[in-house]
Structure formats: C-alpha cells, structure tokens
Amino acid sequence: MRAAPACISAQSLRYRWPGQAADCLNCVQMEIRAGERVFLHGASGAGKSTLLGLVAGVLVPSAGELLVMGQSLAALSGPQRDVFRADHMGILFQQFNLIPYLPVLDNVLLPCRFSRRRLSRCTQPADPVQDARRLLDHLEIGVELHGRAASQLSVGQQQRVAAARALIGRPELVIADEPTSALDAARQSAFLDLLARECGESGATLLFVSHDLRLQAHFDRVVSL
Amino acid sequence: MRTLTSPVKLVPWLVAMLSAPVLAAGAHDHGGGRLDVSIEKERITIELELPLDVLVGFERAPRNDKERAALAAAGKKLNDGAALFLPTAAAECRLTKTEVSLPFAEGTKTAATGEHADADARYEFECAQARNLAGIETTLFRDFSRLYRLELQRVGPVGQAGGRLTRKAPVVRW
Amino acid sequence: MSFLARLALASALNRRWTLGLTLAAVALSVALLLGVERLREGARTGFVQSVSGTDLIVGPRTGGVQLLLYSVFRIGNATNNISWVSAQVLGQHPAVAWTIPVSLGDTHRSFPVLGTTEAYFTHFRHGDQRALSLAQGRPFAGLFEVVLGSEVARALGYQLGQGITLSHGASELSLAAEALTQAAEHGDKPFTVVGILAPTGTPVDRTLHVTLESMSALHLDWQGGAPLPGLKIPAEFVRKFDLAPKDVNAVLVGLKNRSDVFRMQRFVNEFRGEPLLGILPGVTLDELWGLLAVAERALKAISALVVAVGLAGLVAVVLAGLNERRRELAILRSVGARPGDIFALLMVEGVLVIGLGVVLGVVLLAAVFTAVTPWAQTQFGLALGGTMGGTLPAAAEWPLIAAVFAAGTLASAVPAWRAYRLSLADGLTPRV
Ligand SMILES: Nc1ncnc2c1ncn2[C@@H]1O[C@H](COP(=O)(O)OP(=O)(O)OP(=O)(O)O)[C@@H](O)[C@H]1O
Ligand SMILES: [Mg+2]
C-alpha cells in the first residue's frame, strides 16, 4: 500500500471564481494514493465541488500545482483535458446523473462513446455491453430495467446506474459529489457499500465528497477542507 | 363558391386600373423609346423608334447651327448600327442593312405630324452561328443621355416576349 | 459523429411536441415561400399555353392587358368593339394567314359564350401548337347551334342534341341578378348542342361557342342590354333578318410569317378606318406579369418574413429548452464530451429540424398543388403549368431551398453557441 503511486497530488492549490474578490480554495495541500478510498469533508460552501471541478479538469487552478496520475492538468489544453477526463475518470453527481431520454444501458455506455481508452479497457472492447450488464447486475439493477428510459427509474436506481457508468472501462479515478444526498439512510449505506466494493474490485481510487460525516465509516481516510 | 371566385373577379378591375394609362398604343413617351427585335433563322431584324426629343432635346425643325449639328450627329450615330447593337460575339453577326428616318434632317423630307416627331430606324444582321446568340447589347443609352428606357417586344423561335431595357439593363436576352 | 447525431435525434424525439410544432411552422413557411414562386411560374405557363398559336390580337383601343384578358381568358368585360368591316380588312391583309373573330358578352350558367367563325376550329392553337379537336359531334354550321368546351359539358352534364338557353350579360355579376334573370334570358331562342370539344387545359374548356350570326340573332330584339318592350321576334322569323355581324370585340390573327408581326402591328395601330390596338400576346403577358410583379414581390417578402418567424420560433424553442438541458449537457461533459461536441449536438438538432421542415414543406406543397390543379382547371380553365403538380422542386426553387437551409443553419448556431458557452461556464455543476 505504501508503495502505491500518487493518484491526486495538490500543492498550494488556489482557485478563485472569475469576478470574485476572494479565493474559493486557498492553499490546498492534498495527496491521495492510487487505490485509496477517500472521504472529502467540508461545510457547505467550503469549496468541495470546486475542488472536484479542478480535479476533473473542468476548472483550471489559479495558482499552485495539481497532478492527477502524475499529469499536470494545467499543462493540457481544454480538449486534451476533456479526453483525459473521459479516459481516466468516472464522475457521479448529487442527483439527475442520467440522460433522461436514453435507455439505462446507453447511459452506462456513454464514457465508452467518448473515450477509446475506456472502451479498450472493457473486458471485451468489441462488446462493451457485456461489461455494462455485469456492472448493472453487480449494482443490483435487474435485466428488465436495462432497456428502460432512465427517467423511469427511482432515484436510488438512477444513482446505481450512474455508478455503473462511472465504473465502466475501469477508470483509475472515481469522483463522487454527494451522490447519496437524495437517498434515505438505509439506502445511502447500501449504495456506499456497493460503490466501495466495486471501486475495490476494479482498483479505482475513490474520491467521495460529502458534508455528512456519518458516511465516513465506508472509507479508508477522511480529508477535510 | 362565391367567396372563392370573388377575388378573381377583382383581377381584371385591378389590371384595368393599373394598365390603362400605361398601355395606350403608339403613345409618345418622353425619355423612352420602342425596340422591336425579331429573329428568323440567321437574320435578326431590329426596329427602333425614338422620340426626337431623346436624340437631340427638341422636337421641331432646327433653328440654329447648333441644333442642326446636333441633328446631324444623332443621324450619324443612328446610321452606325454595328456600334449601336452588339449581338453575342460567338454568333458572328454582321450588319447587312440599315434604314434610318430622322425628321428634319437634311435630305429627309419627312414632316412630323402633330406635336411630336419620332426617329425610326431598322437594322438587319445576318448571323453565321445563330445558335450561339444569347443576347444583344445596345449602346443607345450611352449615346443618348436623355434616353431612360426602351419598351421591348421580341419574337423568335422561343415565341414572343416583352420587357424593358434600361440604363442598368441594356441587354436583350433569351 | 454518428453517435452525436443519434444522441441529437434521441434528444429531439424526447422533445417531439415542442420541436414538432416548430417543425410544422418551418414546413408551412417553406411551403408558402416556394408556393408563391411556383404559382407564378405555373400560372405563367398556363397562360402562355392558352395563346400559343396567336401572333397578334386586334381590338379596340383599350388597355393591352385588358384586351388580352377578355379575348383569350374571358376575364373582365369586353366593353368596346371594332367594326366587322375592319375585321374583314384585317383578314384580307396579304401577311395574314387567318383571323378568328371574338364576340363576347353572353353567358350560360356563368360560363362565357363566344361568338366566332369556323376558323376557330381550324386555326386556334393551344399548348404546343395543338389544334382543337372535337370529342363528340361536329363544329357549328348554322344558327342556334352550340359547341361546348369540355368543362362546360362535364359540369352541366350536357349531351349532344340537348337544347339550352343563353342569358344576356354576365348575369352572375349583377346584384339584381335574381330579379333580372327571368327578363334577361334569351328563352325564346334555344340552342342545340352539336359538338363537344376535347379538353385543352385552357379557357376554351369553359366556353360555349356559337356563330357570329347566332350572336346577332340573339340580340335582334334587344337594345342596350335589355329586350325591347313589345318587340318579340320568334326564332323561326329570325332568318329573314340580316344577321351579318356589325361588330366584334376582338380578332385573333395568325400570320404567314411570324416575323412580320411588327409590321402588322404597325398597320393595325395606324389603321385608317377606326382606332385599333394590336398586341403581341406574349409581350402583353410579360407586361401583365410585370404589373403583377409588385404584388408578387410583396407576397415573396411576406413569405420570407414568415420563414424568418419560423426560424426565430425554432431558435426560441431550442434556447428556452436549453436551461432545462443544462444538466444533460453537464452529464455529457462529465463523460468526456468536449464543448465542441455540445455545439455540434445542438447544431445537428437545429439542422435536423430545418432539413425535415424543408422536406416536409416541399411535400406539403406538392400535395397542395396536386389537389389544387384540377380546381384551377375547372375554375379558370387554366392547366397550371407542368411544374405545379410535380413532386420535385423545379430548378428555380433550389436556390430558395438552399437559402432557407443556410439561414436555418445560421439560426441554429445561436442556441448551439449559447450551449457551448454554458457548458464551458457550468463545467460539472450546472446552476439552474
Ligand atoms: N460559478 C461560480 N461562480 C462564482 N462563485 C462560485 C461559483 N460556484 C461556486 N462558487 C462559490 O464558491 C464557493 C464554493 O462552492 P462549492 O460549490 O465548491 O461548495 P461546496 O463545498 O460544494 O458546497 P455544498 O456542500 O453546498 O455543495 C461558494 O462560496 C460559492 O459561492
Ligand atoms: Mg457541492
């Protein structure tokens, strides 16, 4: 474990939203190793989502250094960051994670459409549907739901489908921004177990954001903002 | 049915309103002339009618040397049909006949009837490659600055057509 | 790219009602835009077909367009005449091959009655120089015989040998028609149908044809448009009178040599006996078209505006939908879609709607014209030219279609650009 390389490393990371007087993130130091399951905690408005935006390469640091899998995101162009994100990261939002008019299976397969690497990392690149079905099965989405429009699922089901999408093509990093806030306590816990298990199975690093400290039990480590 | 036909009933009324003053035959029209073009096999016949006013600025017998000179100059231009009408070069047309009648000019006895006087001219071209004929350009507007439009009638293998030549569009097209 | 197209399609289908309505607006506006153009072209060919064989039309000094309209299309009233003597002089001119006198004014059940001579059946030409042919019977030979246009026979169900009554004036127009119909009928002089013409797609189809002598006979005991009181000349005595026509409304002239037409026109316009007007039907048609061009341009401008409104509607609908779709766009960004992909996605959607709208518009127009052509034929006796019923757009319409498509594509770039900006600004956390 100790020898594992850094997945995310932030040095004196600063970010200020355009037009804002103060920094939103001020001198963040953070080191997350590959394969870790990290709980990122902070009060509402502390800048958790902003940090995830930086890690995902959607935002660019104002100052400091941010390496994701050894790659400085600031050194990449916008389109290159888009490719990098699709290639190496799975992302989960708070809610409404799915394209409502696409069937469940197509939603899961989305990353394989935009990233050749994710497609090639499926067990059978010629047929990513197999992996999608396996992941959905693991996340307890019945076969009868695979062809349904995403908008016809319950919120809990939607979050599990989103998790399958984040995991397909074995990305090195899974980022989750409070994906359980819309679920009740029992379902939260079940979902987190599933997510942690799947990340472990595929060897993905998990960076999980929440202001709810009760959830920290499912994780290797807690980082506070 | 009645409501459907009624707008149609308006058409002739409208047309009559619009057209009656414009179309009186043989009307003498200041600033405008008439151009008739017919094409038959290799021959183009062009008939031109211009109010004298357009050519020289007056419509009576010349009163002084200046007016006589103007009349002579106009006659000279009208007699140079090959310069006035330029059929498509590829049609290889050649002017074969020119007839000009200019009122009050020396050597013409034509007395103008009434208040107005018109110049008439007729030109014939023979075209070796009539198939290539796409249009005839006229330089009349350049030569006679008082000319603003020519009412065009033409007949040819594709039937009859009308139109109007102006300074901006001085070409008879097919 | 093909995946983006599929995505755009799925997204569009998801909003099919709003997009469907804008699609309908675009389709209708395209149909209108093309329709104006096509109607003009169709009517023009139809008109040209109706006068194809006539070199010159001679009539009294009215307007040229008016003369053309009543002599060939039976539109409007023939108020002035030229004397029969003049008509005969014309016919004897050495350059003239044939003349067809035209005498109008009576109607039968709102169909015009034309008094003419047998020359009509031998010399009148329509379409591609086609002569008239009789579907049944024979040309008229004497008094009180009538030859029907095909549409007259069809609409009124007339057959050979049937007796019919003609009425004076265009009774349909008159306000007091009801009261006068009784009085204004030539009820005492019934006609017999001796022939029915084959369809021509010209106003001939809507016309009843009688001899000039029959026309005179009808009006022996009439004066100033009404029967002379106390004077009634029964049909059997009519033959005792001099029935030679005194005047006609117009004369259609065919020349031996078509290029003599200008010479002939000058002869007519400088005619000694009475003031006459000679027009070249093709030229006067162009004149008519020139007059209508103002209205046509206005119509075109309006239909162009309608297209603009349709496109604005499309932009508005897509833009309004964009806010609800910020989520969707953020999700796409999170799985690796570039802002350029987002732009392309919305462009595809817009172009899809425009393309479908144009195609639908063209189809709609073809359907409308297919439906309307027979109606125009029976109403005006005009076969609206060849392109009218055609399903494919005519060559002249392609630039218009291309222009609409280009404008639509340009308009689609507006929401696409906005989505692009939004997806850049929102990143992974759309603010709604
Ligand atoms: N687009 C933006 N423009 C300007 N300021 C922003 C923007 N997004 C966020 N901020 C500001 O940055 C700060 C951090 O926001 P962020 O969304 O990262 O908080 P968070 O920790 O995720 O909070 P929560 O737990 O409520 O989701 C907030 O003060 C917010 O006002
Ligand atoms: Mg947040």
Side-chain angles (χ1 to χ4, degrees):
Chain A
M1 220 38 184
R2 196 155 282 276
C7 176
I8 302 171
S9 107
Q11 305 290 324
S12 325
L13 184 65
R14 282 172 193 277
Y15 184 77
R16 181 181 298 190
W17 282 99
Q20 248 35 38
D23 283 347
C24 166
L25 294 175
N26 187 357
C27 213
V28 175
Q29 304 282 354
M30 191 169 73
E31 182 91 9
I32 295 172
R33 315 231 128 250
E36 265 190 308
R37 280 169 287 186
V38 175
F39 182 80
L40 180 63
H41 170 260
S44 182
K48 304 182 294 291
S49 297
T50 305
L51 181 61
L52 289 193
L54 288 167
V55 169
V58 176
L59 305 175
V60 186
S62 311
E65 199 184 42
L66 176 65
L67 296 179
V68 179
M69 278 159 290
Q71 170 70 54
S72 164
L73 289 181
L76 298 178
S77 71
Q80 281 173 330
R81 286 200 302 274
D82 290 320
V83 172
F84 187 83
R85 175 184 338 114
D87 282 351
H88 301 286
M89 301 177 211
I91 297 174
L92 270 165
F93 295 118
Q94 207 159 358
Q95 48 175 297
F96 309 119
N97 265 296
L98 306 179
I99 307 275
Y101 49 81
L102 285 185
V104 165
L105 222 85
D106 284 342
N107 261 293
V108 175
L109 288 169
L110 273 176
C112 301
R113 305 284 187 199
F114 287 97
S115 161
R116 217 167 281 149
R117 184 169 186 272
R118 292 280 285 274
L119 184 62
S120 70
R121 279 166 68 92
C122 287
T123 36
Q124 278 188 10
D127 188 18
V129 178
Q130 274 193 8
D131 281 25
R133 286 195 188 279
R134 185 178 47 75
L135 277 167
L136 284 171
D137 185 48
H138 281 205
L139 289 158
E140 294 163 16
I141 298 291
V143 188
E144 72 281 2
L145 297 180
H146 292 192
R148 265 214 214 155
S151 55
Q152 292 172 4
L153 300 186
S154 77
V155 177
Q157 286 168 334
Q158 286 186 25
Q159 292 305 71
R160 277 178 277 144
V161 172
R165 185 182 64 206
L167 288 161
I168 197 162
R170 291 187 295 119
E172 285 88 343
L173 176 60
V174 172
I175 298 173
D177 194 349
E178 306 194 71
T180 58
S181 60
L183 305 179
D184 60 54
R187 289 190 162 275
Q188 269 182 2
S189 172
F191 177 77
L192 283 179
D193 282 339
L194 274 175
L195 183 63
R197 193 185 75 205
E198 286 304 314
C199 285
E201 250 174 53
S202 70
T205 310
L206 175 61
L207 180 57
F208 185 97
V209 163
S210 179
H211 55 259
D212 187 352
L213 271 172
R214 288 172 302 171
L215 301 177
Q216 63 180 325
H218 301 270
F219 298 88
D220 302 336
R221 186 152 74 90
V222 178
V223 174
S224 280
L225 254 191
Chain B
M1 229 40 190
R2 198 148 274 277
T3 49
L4 280 175
T5 54
S6 58
V8 175
K9 293 280 145 73
L10 283 176
V11 170
W13 178 80
L14 202 129
V15 164
M17 292 249 321
L18 285 168
S19 59
V22 187
L23 301 170
H28 186 90
D29 176 9
H30 285 267
R34 297 166 56 88
L35 185 68
D36 295 341
V37 178
S38 82
I39 298 174
E40 209 184 16
K41 305 218 179 79
E42 275 80 52
R43 177 178 300 152
I44 309 174
T45 309
I46 297 174
E47 287 166 83
L48 177 67
E49 182 187 304
L50 293 172
L52 196 56
D53 174 66
V54 156
L55 297 177
V56 293
F58 54 87
E59 296 205 341
R60 45 170 173 72
R63 287 183 186 154
N64 51 38
D65 284 347
K66 208 179 142 198
E67 293 187 351
R68 264 184 289 278
L71 207 54
K76 201 168 164 227
K77 278 181 186 163
L78 284 183
N79 271 298
D80 190 4
L84 288 180
F85 295 99
L86 312 168
T88 319
E92 296 173 21
C93 301
R94 203 165 41 79
L95 183 68
T96 54
K97 208 163 161 191
T98 308
E99 289 166 27
V100 175
S101 112
L102 187 62
F104 311 119
E106 271 151 58
T108 6
K109 278 170 219 94
T110 355
T113 44
E115 294 167 40
H116 296 300
D118 289 324
D120 292 300
R122 182 187 160 93
Y123 310 92
E124 279 182 25
F125 289 83
E126 296 284 340
C127 302
Q129 304 293 327
R131 263 179 298 113
N132 297 338
L133 193 63
I136 304 173
E137 187 176 348
T138 176
T139 59
L140 279 165
F141 293 100
R142 258 185 274 153
D143 290 330
F144 301 108
S145 60
R146 297 168 66 88
L147 179 65
Y148 287 101
R149 64 182 172 280
L150 283 170
E151 298 299 337
L152 170 72
Q153 300 191 105
R154 63 173 171 80
V155 295
V158 288
Q160 304 175 336
R164 170 177 288 180
L165 301 191
T166 60
R167 298 186 155 270
K168 282 190 190 138
V171 186
V172 183
R173 281 182 211 287
W174 277 265
Chain C
M1 188 57 215
S2 84
F3 173 69
L4 274 184
R6 263 170 48 217
L7 200 64
L9 194 69
S11 170
L13 275 178
N14 187 45
R15 286 166 294 126
R16 55 184 165 276
W17 292 116
T18 41
L19 282 186
L21 281 176
T22 43
L23 179 76
V26 171
L28 283 173
S29 65
V30 166
L32 186 67
L33 185 72
L34 296 183
V36 171
E37 174 78 17
R38 211 179 272 194
L39 191 66
R40 187 188 66 109
E41 273 309 309
R44 190 191 184 107
T45 1
F47 273 57
V48 169
Q49 301 260 301
S50 308
V51 279
S52 61
T54 306
D55 292 309
L56 198 66
I57 301 175
V58 179
R61 284 251 171 111
T62 50
V65 172
Q66 204 179 334
L67 175 59
L68 176 75
L69 284 181
Y70 74 68
S71 64
V72 177
F73 303 105
R74 329 262 189 266
I75 297 175
N77 290 324
T79 41
N80 294 312
N81 303 321
I82 66 174
S83 77
W84 181 234
V85 178
S86 304
Q88 280 170 313
V89 171
L90 272 176
Q92 279 144 25
H93 191 284
V96 171
W98 50 261
T99 55
I100 297 172
V102 168
S103 188
L104 292 155
D106 279 4
T107 60
H108 174 73
R109 312 266 302 266
S110 88
F111 290 104
V113 176
L114 171 71
T116 183
T117 61
E118 269 148 74
Y120 187 79
F121 299 99
T122 40
H123 295 304
F124 188 81
R125 294 286 181 276
H126 64 91
D128 283 335
Q129 301 296 321
R130 262 182 298 158
L132 293 176
S133 71
L134 281 145
Q136 298 175 46
R138 56 171 175 83
F140 49 60
L143 275 180
F144 304 122
E145 289 186 344
V146 60
V147 173
L148 306 179
S150 62
E151 176 58 23
V152 179
R154 194 199 62 79
L156 304 177
Y158 288 164
Q159 262 127 40
L160 286 186
Q162 191 156 352
I164 62 174
T165 314
L166 307 184
S167 56
H168 191 71
S171 66
E172 191 198 33
L173 269 181
S174 149
L175 279 179
E178 300 307 315
L180 282 176
T181 326
Q182 218 61 20
E185 291 260 311
H186 300 292
D188 53 338
K189 301 185 185 76
F191 278 72
T192 311
V193 178
V194 297
I196 296 172
L197 290 166
T200 63
T202 73
V204 170
D205 296 351
R206 295 180 42 79
T207 306
L208 295 88
H209 308 86
V210 301
T211 60
L212 287 171
E213 287 74 20
S214 303
M215 212 70 169
S216 308
L218 276 178
H219 302 101
L220 270 181
D221 42 9
W222 283 54
Q223 197 153 62
L228 288 173
L231 182 60
K232 222 159 184 37
I233 303 168
E236 54 273 27
F237 292 130
V238 158
R239 286 164 220 281
K240 302 212 168 83
F241 288 80
D242 173 21
L243 294 177
K246 291 181 187 58
D247 44 36
V248 292
N249 294 116
V251 177
L252 310 185
V253 178
L255 298 176
K256 290 178 185 145
N257 194 340
R258 300 199 115 183
S259 58
D260 281 340
V261 67
F262 297 125
R263 203 151 59 86
M264 198 59 204
Q265 187 185 32
R266 219 161 299 126
F267 170 77
V268 168
N269 288 343
E270 289 159 10
F271 193 71
R272 295 269 158 75
E274 61 178 317
L276 294 182
L277 171 67
I279 59 164
L280 278 66
V283 172
T284 305
L285 259 183
D286 282 343
E287 222 160 275
L288 174 61
W289 250 250
L291 291 172
L292 297 181
V294 184
E296 184 210 330
R297 265 200 294 277
L299 266 180
K300 254 195 179 152
I302 291 170
S303 50
L305 276 180
V306 171
V307 169
V309 169
L311 294 184
L314 173 68
V315 171
V317 160
V318 176
L319 269 182
L322 217 50
N323 252 340
E324 297 163 31
R325 294 173 68 196
R326 280 171 96 159
R327 250 295 142 190
E328 182 186 323
L329 300 183
I331 293 166
L332 287 174
R333 289 274 281 145
S334 78
V335 295
R338 280 153 294 214
D341 291 331
I342 304 291
F343 183 82
L345 190 71
L346 273 107
M347 278 309 281
V348 169
E349 181 178 309
V351 169
L352 201 78
V353 173
I354 297 292
L356 261 176
V358 168
V359 170
L360 261 175
V362 169
V363 170
L364 187 74
L365 189 65
V368 166
F369 272 121
T370 311
V372 156
T373 305
W375 176 81
Q377 172 99 44
T378 55
Q379 279 297 301
F380 313 120
L382 272 187
L384 298 168
T387 54
M388 301 287 287
T391 29
L392 271 178
E397 297 174 2
W398 286 112
L400 268 181
I401 292 177
V404 171
F405 197 77
T409 307
L410 217 63
S412 304
V414 174
W417 178 250
R418 169 119 181 98
Y420 171 83
R421 301 296 311 170
L422 278 179
S423 76
L424 272 183
D426 285 356
L428 299 182
T429 45
R431 263 144 278 268
V432 183

